[in-house]
Amino acid sequence: MHTRRLGTHGPLVSELGLGCMGMSAFYGPRNDDDARNTLLTALDLGITLFDTADAYGNGHNEQLLGRVLGPHRDRVTLATKCGIRSVSSQGTSGGAVIDSSPAYIRQACEASLTRLGTDHIDVYYLHRRDPGIPIEESVGAMAELVHEGKVRHLGLSEVSATTLQGAHATHPIAALQTEYSLWERSLEDDIIPTARRLGAAIVPYSPLGRGFLTGAVTSLHHLTADDYRHHDPRFQGGNLTHNLALIDRVRDIADRHEATPGQIALAWLLAQGDDIVPIPGTKRRTYLRENSEATALRLTGDDLDTLTRSVPRDAVHGPRYGDKALQLLNT
């Protein structure tokens, strides 16, 4: 697998990373044995960038990566995040709040280092930011962690172009993690150009549209009851029916390349620039191998134009999150 650099002075990583969230939360029950096998298979396939967060499974995901990847620490780039703090009331989980205060960032970093079983985090993201706290204060606290050697590079997730500029003026930002795919391209107007001007890589999460762009999800009936997609607006009712028609257009190109729709979607994303490093998430080795094979696909200019026209930016029906979560995006 080829490599790409995260930011102008960031680490070299595999051109395709692995999003590990689903191994611990949001997409059905956990199975640590299966997750371990998937993580080790990813290493065998040449994947070196592993993405997690302290909020995934309330720390479970970081612990999992720490146990499995610890013996291979010199071969991997570990990326984790802070900024979503769990809260509880009288011993019962009370949900989460956004906390990008300097004090909490330091506390969260120490906890993540312990769970990951490492003395440094390669890429440390601010998962979400509290608009009430100046980004310069948050990134300033993260920069102190860099100076102390606890963090190597900084990243942000789901921030606006203006916020990215303010952050970068405080400390270089190696990567911006945000949703980007054939069916979510709203960041192409100003966020991607700003990131490129500042020398920050784009790390797209959900590059397969939460599985939709694979063509495998045609209804919600086969999903487990706790699967997040039961509440995703783009998977509901008429939105789902409309959006399914878009996959047929991707499938036509996939058939010509003897590939899957998901592989074509990933190949399209990789072709958008050498500063794009997608992190498709999966807990199944079959899908992991399928995703990795997308790096060998070379779409023609005509293919790319056809895909861009066939799935135009405004073609997808439904917002990408519910109302509450939408308020935390591009802040």
Side-chain angles (χ1 to χ4, degrees):
M1 188 175 291
H2 295 293
T3 58
R4 296 183 172 188
R5 190 172 294 281
L6 286 185
T8 305
H9 304 292
L12 280 174
V13 298
S14 53
E15 60 184 330
L16 202 70
L18 178 60
C20 301
M21 180 186 73
M23 298 176 184
S24 300
F26 301 111
Y27 290 97
R30 304 171 183 168
N31 186 315
D32 285 1
D33 288 338
D34 285 348
R36 176 182 182 276
N37 290 332
T38 298
L39 290 167
L40 295 178
T41 298
L43 284 174
D44 290 341
L45 292 170
I47 292 172
T48 63
L49 176 61
F50 294 83
D51 185 88
T52 183
D54 57 2
Y56 298 162
N58 197 25
H60 172 271
N61 203 239
E62 289 184 326
Q63 291 173 333
L64 173 68
L65 267 61
R67 288 195 306 270
V68 177
L69 299 179
H72 312 279
R73 185 66 181 92
D74 60 340
R75 298 170 54 191
V76 304
T77 297
L78 281 177
T80 191
K81 313 177 196 71
C82 67
I84 299 179
R85 178 167 57 86
S86 297
V87 294
S88 59
S89 176
Q90 298 180 343
T92 301
S93 174
V97 297
I98 304 305
D99 190 342
S100 54
S101 65
Y104 184 70
I105 288 171
R106 176 168 290 277
Q107 175 187 336
C109 180
E110 296 292 348
S112 288
L113 288 169
T114 298
R115 286 189 291 264
L116 290 167
T118 185
D119 63 356
H120 72 279
I121 295 165
D122 296 304
V123 184
Y124 199 38
Y125 290 98
L126 186 62
H127 202 166
R128 295 289 188 273
R129 68 170 291 251
D130 176 357
I133 297 177
I135 191 62
E136 293 81 4
E137 291 185 15
S138 301
V139 173
M142 298 170 76
E144 291 178 4
L145 298 171
V146 175
H147 298 322
E148 295 169 11
K150 296 176 180 179
V151 170
R152 296 283 171 84
H153 304 280
L154 300 186
L156 299 175
S157 179
E158 289 291 1
V159 297
S160 68
T162 300
T163 296
L164 180 58
Q165 291 181 100
H168 191 82
T170 303
H171 188 280
I173 301 299
L176 172 66
Q177 187 171 138
T178 186
E179 186 173 356
Y180 186 32
S181 69
L182 262 176
W183 84 340
E184 181 50 56
R185 293 162 50 201
S186 58
L187 70 164
E188 290 178 338
D189 285 338
D190 58 350
I191 294 177
I192 288 182
T194 299
R196 286 178 167 158
R197 179 169 54 80
L198 299 174
I202 304 297
V203 179
Y205 71 84
S206 296
L208 294 173
R210 298 175 181 82
F212 184 86
L213 291 170
T214 66
V217 182
T218 57
S219 75
L220 302 181
H221 298 304
H222 69 288
L223 302 179
T224 58
D226 56 349
D227 192 297
Y228 158 80
R229 288 168 289 190
H230 285 291
H231 309 286
D232 188 316
R234 292 184 172 178
F235 286 82
Q236 308 306 311
N239 288 344
L240 178 62
T241 301
H242 170 86
N243 293 336
L244 283 173
L246 302 176
I247 293 299
D248 292 336
R249 305 171 188 177
V250 179
R251 202 185 307 276
D252 290 341
I253 292 178
D255 290 343
R256 292 204 296 272
H257 285 270
E258 297 183 346
T260 66
Q263 289 172 331
I264 294 298
L266 288 174
W268 177 88
L269 195 52
L270 287 165
Q272 300 310 301
D274 291 338
D275 55 352
I276 306 289
V277 183
I279 49 169
T282 185
K283 52 187 177 180
R284 295 181 174 84
R285 283 168 286 171
T286 300
Y287 295 148
L288 175 67
R289 293 189 181 96
E290 179 181 311
N291 292 343
S292 70
E293 290 168 359
T295 62
L297 285 174
R298 295 294 179 266
L299 300 180
T300 67
D302 286 343
D303 289 334
L304 295 171
D305 289 343
T306 299
L307 284 166
T308 302
R309 290 195 309 270
S310 298
V311 190
R313 281 179 44 173
D314 298 328
V316 177
H317 281 196
R320 58 184 174 119
Y321 283 107
D323 291 342
K324 185 176 181 180
L326 280 175
Q327 296 174 13
L328 303 176
L329 305 182
N330 297 336
T331 54

